[in-house]
Amino acid sequence: QIATTTGPSNDAIKFKINAKASTAQPAGDYKNKINFIVVANVPPRDFPDIIPNDGPKDPETGLPTIQSIDEALCNQVEAYDTQFRVTDIRDHKNYWISKLRDGKCWMTQNLDLDLDSTKTYTSANTDLGWNGIGYTSTSWQPSLSTIPSTDIDSDTGYIRGWQSSSSDPYSVDVGDLYWDPDTNTFSETPDPASGAHMHSGNYYNLIAATANNTSLSSQWGPQPNSICPTNWGLPPMLGQARSLNDLSQYYGNTTATGEYYIAAPLYFIVGEQIYASYDSSTSQIVGRRSTTGSGFYWYNTRAALQLYPSAVSFTSPDPYVGINIRCRIREKDKFTVNFDANSGEGSMSAQQVSYGGSVALAANTFTRSGYYFNGWNTAANGTGVGYGNGGSYSAPSTNATTSVTLYAQWVEDTGQGSGSVGKTLQDAFEMAYVTNPGAFPDGGGTKHGLYVPDKDPNTGEYTGTYHEATSAAEYEGIPANDLRFAIQDIALTINNVKVCDYATVIGSSAYVLDLRDFTSYHIIKAADGRCWLADNLAFNPLASGVTMNENNTNAPAAAITNFLGGNAGTQSGWSSSAVGYWGNTTYTEPRINVNYRNTVTNDSLDTAGGYKVGVYYNFCAASVGTFCYSSDTSLDRPDTAIDAEYDICPSGWRMPTGGYTGGEYLSAKNAYGDYTSLRLALRLPLSGLYSYAVFLHGQYGRFWSSTRFISSSPGENEMAILGLDQSSVSANGGLYRDHGFNIRCIAK
């Protein structure tokens, strides 16, 4: 070690290197390496480092308010046992607080709030809801107008003003007294070393301590309210979690003389308790100090810490007895997320998240020989709700359930790569091109099938069109967002593993081109483990230049020929008279209406240029003319409803299943867990529907499935659709097969 510094330094550090050689050492050049290591000793962050300069300040003292110190801020403080000064905005009194070695933030002074009928106690300044559960009122104002004098009788030591009635939430103010730990007595002048901390504070019976929330005669359980400041509360005592008593495991005897808790940084007072007594000489009920030589501090239950000069324990004092309060930062109830290796190996610690909050899931550390990690699921067999590696988990809003177990999902490694996690859809497509050179014209192993943007030869600007790369030089240096893969290439395999299964990163996407019309789309590896089109299908089979055949469309040649020969549709209008209504078996024409709008009015999830509304298809068009309920069975299916086998999705893709229970559509919704997450992940716009024109855009979304909708009687010839509105997802019957709905394709 050459030098150290306790702070930033620009000092030059000088040193010398001497060489010592023996005369027996052969002559020559000798070399050696000297490594210099600089170790940063960053001091732990304390309250001044965390609290923002522009945070709430008390108008009288200018200090930060104790009400602005919450659990999140306390968690950021790294320095233990250091003191920080704050002000209670209710009466502008100052207190010291500290983060103690139990990891919690505490007041290191007794509470000194004078309950006064002229003050206002609200949820903005007073703790009125333990863990945010059970509190329904907006304020607490006890009846304090009859609080009598709190003078101390110097002759008897009695403290006047303590009412014996168990229905009155009274506290006692013993005046500005300070505890002297050297003499075990109170003094009116503070010890400079500890007096500011050792203020005696007020004595509160249980009903005062719990903000008039409890019955003194019967309540033993945890209380939702207290008179501590907002974000602070009475320390909890649930089962054996005696938070006050447990401080002894961190501090033990705080002085050499065996005094517990009295010295810095805790500064507890070995005071007395105050109880009601009748003074026959004055005919008054007065407060008497106990002479037990111990101090008491309320928990949030009908129990207290009992503090002696050389020991700590807990007790259950009479609830009308007045004792002290030490407030501790409030911690919200936590929901636990457990992780299960599910046939894998390793261990992962559980995570906790506040009810109604969300947490980024810990990155997976489980391993399984011969398998890739493929996300989490609430069911071991993958049939529950799925979550990506490092994805967001939202806890329930109430404590009706206390935990969830997420099971690791595994995909067998067939030999490509080392089994590491993190293969994106982009990785999968690129590997497919590398490992399938025979599938492409030159067979040379270049990334054939990768399409690169065309540029104007004069300006060099991107023109919005693409051409297929024929050499590596054509795609090198082009941003991934500007590259396109062929959507039809989803059918390629990598050592018998499909492109979609090879991708392991949930939420990863790729940009693809439909080779029939070179329209660009997003595709996504979704939380249900499937690959989805993340834009509405915008394929227009009547547009010039479109190539539609069985190699690029999910239908055989005969169906495509009949479809194109039977007037595939019209771009100029939608005539209900031409296609019929529900139950009309003359529904023979596959009709479409093109609408390439990328935004939907009043749909906050849509972003300009980001969400394709695409094309509206009646079901005859969606099924490539194979499901039109025509009496000509050579062109159509029989009138009895069956599931659609073909559709106008690209080859390698198809319409998702729907059915009465929702099929693959609702499986995706369940994997994301909520409506908003599904819509954001799959970029689902509320694009309405088409009949005479576009209706209900921004309010509803309707998406065809391949499955008939059977609700009550078999053979009911409705087609199921995904139904979206502004707040829910459902499976519906497609009552109007002549209406135009959107299409989302799913990889086969």
Side-chain angles (χ1 to χ4, degrees), residues 3 72 134 206 224 293 333 339 346 355 394 416 443 453 489 492 552 577 586 642 653 739:
L206 185 60
D333 280 341
F339 299 95
Y355 285 95
S394 297
Q416 286 294 326
D489 287 341
L492 293 177
N552 58 32
S577 60
T586 61
I642 61 172
W653 299 75
H739 283 183

Side-chain angles (χ1 to χ4, degrees), residues 6 17 46 220 283 326 330 335 364 416 518 548 662 673 684:
T6 58
I17 299 176
D46 206 346
W220 289 82
S283 300
R326 281 294 177 94
R330 282 280 196 207
F335 181 84
N364 171 60
Q416 286 294 326
F518 279 75
M548 188 176 181
L684 289 161

Side-chain angles (χ1 to χ4, degrees), residues 302-334:
R302 187 171 163 177
L305 173 82
Q306 187 168 14
L307 175 65
Y308 297 92
S310 60
V312 290
S313 63
F314 71 98
T315 186
S316 299
D318 290 332
Y320 57 81
V321 167
I323 64 178
N324 294 119
I325 287 177
R326 281 294 177 94
C327 300
R328 199 193 78 174
I329 203 76
R330 282 280 196 207
E331 293 179 302
K332 292 183 178 180
D333 280 341
K334 299 298 192 298

Side-chain angles (χ1 to χ4, degrees), residues 452-467 477-479 482:
V452 295
D454 294 322
K455 293 185 177 180
D456 187 298
N458 297 318
T459 65
E461 294 180 353
Y462 171 52
T463 64
T465 57
Y466 297 85
H467 68 275
I478 297 176
D482 289 338

